[in-house]
């Protein structure tokens, strides 16, 4: 088919999704990125033609929206909105995290659930895609307020999930503490001790390496990308954004492999530490997070030789590799231009959809090694899958065993992206590779299962 007709088909498809999902910019952004690479592929595959696969994949199988009332420490009643998007169960039970953040809305969770379908497929484990959350802001809340909120949230959610149906986990604002409270309430209401959530504490069915897994997986993926051009992590400089669980795992693994981390960031600005964020400074990230202030600036209270840049993002700092590990749309076209002008060779996404579409295209046009989060951050959910396996067989694997499986999975995802993303000149378009590789498995399962 002529290029012009292919573009037209993509545009027609996007217009339909746009009309059905008005006022959902994040969801549309994620769909556009997939459509641009998957529709040209579908056109070449006779068996996929006319099956409306992408049309079905962009329509959630089920969306649950519910009231979450709770009582704060002052005795006042608060009301939040809870969600669970059950996007696609063609290859396994819905699987994906829960996000508690004031920016949570239907569009954000639908984009995350849509990405999760492709990401989970890439892991090769039997997990469908889902996502959930609430517009609850854990910042500044007491432990008991967080517990009461989680209990109220799960009181409704427990009717819709289960180890064979839908297995949530953490995401922004949901860590070990929240997963514990959510699990406790599920068990209490359902009277079942099952692997219904992942990211659990080690005492009650959690997996070793799960806290580190997303970040470690990102760096394993980055290592594979660098090796395609004969380079290694050792000796490279890295800019990292965020200071949450993902950034922490990224920084830890970069240090283990001999790279130097120059930055981390928060909503308030970024930290530049010329000496490198290593040793006990890595644990300082955990302290920053535990403080509940959500301020990167507090880093310099402990390490005054570092510099803090208020209201800025770390993408103005010269580096070999950039790893956005904070949140969606944190790296725009101007940032991409800065990075490229400063000689970046690789951008490995650690957050979900941290780069805007025009930033992605700029990296691809400049032939930078660029990986989308759905491929490079899949180590988190992959290790959740390993946690589910351990729960099912009622055994716990050692750190070494889980880490080895994680690494093997990341190498496998990298290979799949390469196989589907390699272009004529040898450049690997990881966006195309991840979308097509993720799509194929789900599509095959959907075709086999009929029109459901
Ligand atoms: N929230 C994580 C993600 O974006 C992990 C999901 C999970 O472990 O189920 O992939």
């Amino acid at each position: 088919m002529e290029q012009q007709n292919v573009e037209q088909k993509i545009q027609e498809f996007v217009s339909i999704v746009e009309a059905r999902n008005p006022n959902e910019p994040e969801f549309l952004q994620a769909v556009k990125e997939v459509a641009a690479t998957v529709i040209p592929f579908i056109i070449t595959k006779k068996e996929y033609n006319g099956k409306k696969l992408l049309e079905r994949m962009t329509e959630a199988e089920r969306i649950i929206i519910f009231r979450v009332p709770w009582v704060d420490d002052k005795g006042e009643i608060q009301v939040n909105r809870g969600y669970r998007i059950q996007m696609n169960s063609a290859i396994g039970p819905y699987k994906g995290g829960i996000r508690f953040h004031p920016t949570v809305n239907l569009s954000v969770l639908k984009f995350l659930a849509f990405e999760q379908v492709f990401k989970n497929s890439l892991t090769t484990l039997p997990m469908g895609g889902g996502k959930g959350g609430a517009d609850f802001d854990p910042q500044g809340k007491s432990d008991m307020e967080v517990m009461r909120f989680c209990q109220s949230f799960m009181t409704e959610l427990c009717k819709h999930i289960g180890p064979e149906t839908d297995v949530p986990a953490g995401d922004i604002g949901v860590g070990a503490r929240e997963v514990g409270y959510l699990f406790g309430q599920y068990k209490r209401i359902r009277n079942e001790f099952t692997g219904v959530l992942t990211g659990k504490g080690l005492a009650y069915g959690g997996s070793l390496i799960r806290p580190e897994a997303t970040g470690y997986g990102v760096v394993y993926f980055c290592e594979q990308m660098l090796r395609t051009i004969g380079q290694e992590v050792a000796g490279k400089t890295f800019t990292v954004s965020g200071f949450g669980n993902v950034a922490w795992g990224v920084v830890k693994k970069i240090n283990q492999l001999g790279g130097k981390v120059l930055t981390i960031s928060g909503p308030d600005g970024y930290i530049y530490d010329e000496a490198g964020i290593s040793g006990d400074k890595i644990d300082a990230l955990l302290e920053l997070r535990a403080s509940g202030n959500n301020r990167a600036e507090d880093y310099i209270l402990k390490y005054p030789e570092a510099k803090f840049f208020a209201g800025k993002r770390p993408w103005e700092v010269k580096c070999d590799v950039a790893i956005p590990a904070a949140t969606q749309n944190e790296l725009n076209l101007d940032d991409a231009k800065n990075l490229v002008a400063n000689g970046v060779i690789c951008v490995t996404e650690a957050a979900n959809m941290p780069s805007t579409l025009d930033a992605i295209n700029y990296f691809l046009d400049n032939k930078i090694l660029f990986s989308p989060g759905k491929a490079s951050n899949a180590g988190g959910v992959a290790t959740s899958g390993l946690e589910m396996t351990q729960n099912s067989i009622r055994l716990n694997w050692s750190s070494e065993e889980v880490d080895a499986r994680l690494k093997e999975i990341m190498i496998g995802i990298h290979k799949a992206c390469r196989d589907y993303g390699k272009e004529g000149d040898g450049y690997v378009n990881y966006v195309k590779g991840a979308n097509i590789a993720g799509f194929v498995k789900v599509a095959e399962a959907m075709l086999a299962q009929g029109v459901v």
Side-chain angles (χ1 to χ4, degrees), residues 397-409:
W397 294 331
S398 66
S399 304
E400 291 73 23
E401 189 159 1
V402 178
D403 195 24
R405 286 180 192 269
L406 165 64
K407 190 164 186 184
E408 194 186 322
I409 289 170

Side-chain angles (χ1 to χ4, degrees), residues 95-99 112 116 119-120 127 131 167-172 198-199 210 214 352 377-378 380-385:
K95 179 84 196 88
I98 289 176
R99 178 176 291 193
L112 288 163
Q116 201 81 43
K119 183 193 312 198
N120 294 3
M127 300 182 291
K131 203 87 187 190
V167 183
D171 195 82
I172 293 172
T198 61
R210 178 63 189 89
T214 312
N352 290 314
N377 77 19
V381 73
T383 307
S384 278

Side-chain angles (χ1 to χ4, degrees), residues 126-185:
M127 300 182 291
K131 203 87 187 190
D135 58 354
F136 171 76
D137 188 358
Q139 207 183 314
K141 302 289 189 299
S142 73
D143 217 33
M144 288 300 102
E145 287 177 323
V146 170
M147 182 183 79
R148 287 195 293 275
F149 178 81
C150 288
Q151 290 181 338
S152 180
F153 184 86
M154 185 52 89
T155 300
E156 177 58 34
L157 188 70
C158 76
K159 301 169 192 164
H160 311 284
I161 61 173
E164 313 294 342
T165 314
D166 185 353
V167 183
D171 195 82
I172 293 172
V174 177
R177 174 182 63 168
E178 290 74 18
V179 169
Y181 294 148
L182 292 165
F183 183 82
Q185 186 73 349

Side-chain angles (χ1 to χ4, degrees), residues 293-331:
N293 290 338
N294 215 10
R295 277 156 48 100
E297 189 177 4
D298 290 354
Y299 181 94
I300 50 175
L301 299 175
K302 211 165 168 193
Y303 305 105
E305 69 282 5
K307 291 195 183 83
F308 175 69
F309 294 88
K312 297 223 161 173
R313 301 195 277 214
W315 318 127
E316 58 190 24
V317 174
K318 183 176 166 52
C319 63
D320 299 315
V321 182
I323 304 197
T327 193
Q328 66 268 13
N329 292 330
E330 54 161 314
L331 194 162

Side-chain angles (χ1 to χ4, degrees), residues 35-339:
T37 48
V38 169
I39 289 178
F41 174 75
I42 292 177
I43 290 169
T44 66
K45 291 273 173 194
K46 229 172 149 196
E47 61 274 31
Y48 293 165
N49 275 213
K51 296 293 192 294
K52 298 267 167 87
L53 288 163
L54 212 48
E55 287 79 351
R56 284 192 266 164
M57 283 184 200
T58 47
E59 192 63 35
E61 288 178 14
R62 191 176 298 103
I63 296 181
I64 301 132
I65 302 183
F66 51 100
R67 182 204 300 159
V68 189
W70 55 284
V71 180
D72 69 17
D73 286 347
K74 293 197 233 86
E76 273 174 36
I77 297 169
Q78 301 288 341
V79 182
N80 286 95
R81 188 174 291 170
Y83 306 81
R84 187 70 184 165
I85 318 288
Q86 298 184 332
M87 200 73 191
N88 195 302
S89 62
I91 63 170
Y94 308 106
K95 179 84 196 88
I98 289 176
R99 178 176 291 193
F100 290 163
H101 196 269
T103 57
V104 161
N105 59 35
L106 191 57
S107 171
V108 167
L109 293 181
K110 278 171 71 179
F111 113 65
L112 288 163
F114 183 66
E115 292 264 302
Q116 201 81 43
V117 173
F118 292 80
K119 183 193 312 198
N120 294 3
S121 165
L122 284 168
T123 67
T124 71
L125 301 176
M127 300 182 291
K131 203 87 187 190
D135 58 354
F136 171 76
D137 188 358
Q139 207 183 314
K141 302 289 189 299
S142 73
D143 217 33
M144 288 300 102
E145 287 177 323
V146 170
M147 182 183 79
R148 287 195 293 275
F149 178 81
C150 288
Q151 290 181 338
S152 180
F153 184 86
M154 185 52 89
T155 300
E156 177 58 34
L157 188 70
C158 76
K159 301 169 192 164
H160 311 284
I161 61 173
E164 313 294 342
T165 314
D166 185 353
V167 183
D171 195 82
I172 293 172
V174 177
R177 174 182 63 168
E178 290 74 18
V179 169
Y181 294 148
L182 292 165
F183 183 82
Q185 186 73 349
Y186 179 90
K187 182 167 66 64
R188 183 182 179 201
I189 299 177
R190 299 280 297 254
N191 196 21
E192 283 168 7
F193 193 112
T194 61
V196 67
L197 286 153
T198 61
K200 299 184 292 299
L202 289 179
Y204 61 98
S207 173
L208 287 161
I209 303 291
R210 178 63 189 89
E212 292 87 347
T214 312
Y216 278 17
V218 166
V219 182
Y220 292 146
F221 196 93
C222 177
E223 184 178 46
Q224 294 303 310
M225 292 168 86
L226 290 172
R227 284 186 181 164
T228 65
I229 54 164
Q231 305 272 342
E232 288 292 336
V233 169
K236 296 274 179 308
T237 53
F238 289 76
T239 49
V240 176
S241 62
F243 63 79
N245 169 264
V246 177
W248 166 72
V250 165
V251 174
K252 209 169 154 180
K253 185 52 79 178
I254 291 171
N255 275 279
Q256 283 174 16
L257 298 183
K260 184 175 178 184
V261 180
L262 298 173
T263 67
I264 50 139
S265 72
D268 54 336
Y270 78 89
I271 291 288
Y272 175 70
D273 190 336
E274 202 184 353
I277 300 169
S278 60
D280 61 344
K281 293 174 182 172
I282 303 173
D283 299 327
L285 300 194
L286 294 178
E287 288 162 32
L288 278 184
R289 190 150 51 102
S291 78
N293 290 338
N294 215 10
R295 277 156 48 100
E297 189 177 4
D298 290 354
Y299 181 94
I300 50 175
L301 299 175
K302 211 165 168 193
Y303 305 105
E305 69 282 5
K307 291 195 183 83
F308 175 69
F309 294 88
K312 297 223 161 173
R313 301 195 277 214
W315 318 127
E316 58 190 24
V317 174
K318 183 176 166 52
C319 63
D320 299 315
V321 182
I323 304 197
T327 193
Q328 66 268 13
N329 292 330
E330 54 161 314
L331 194 162
N332 63 25
L333 181 59
D334 289 337
D335 300 319
K337 286 181 178 167
N338 270 338
L339 284 166

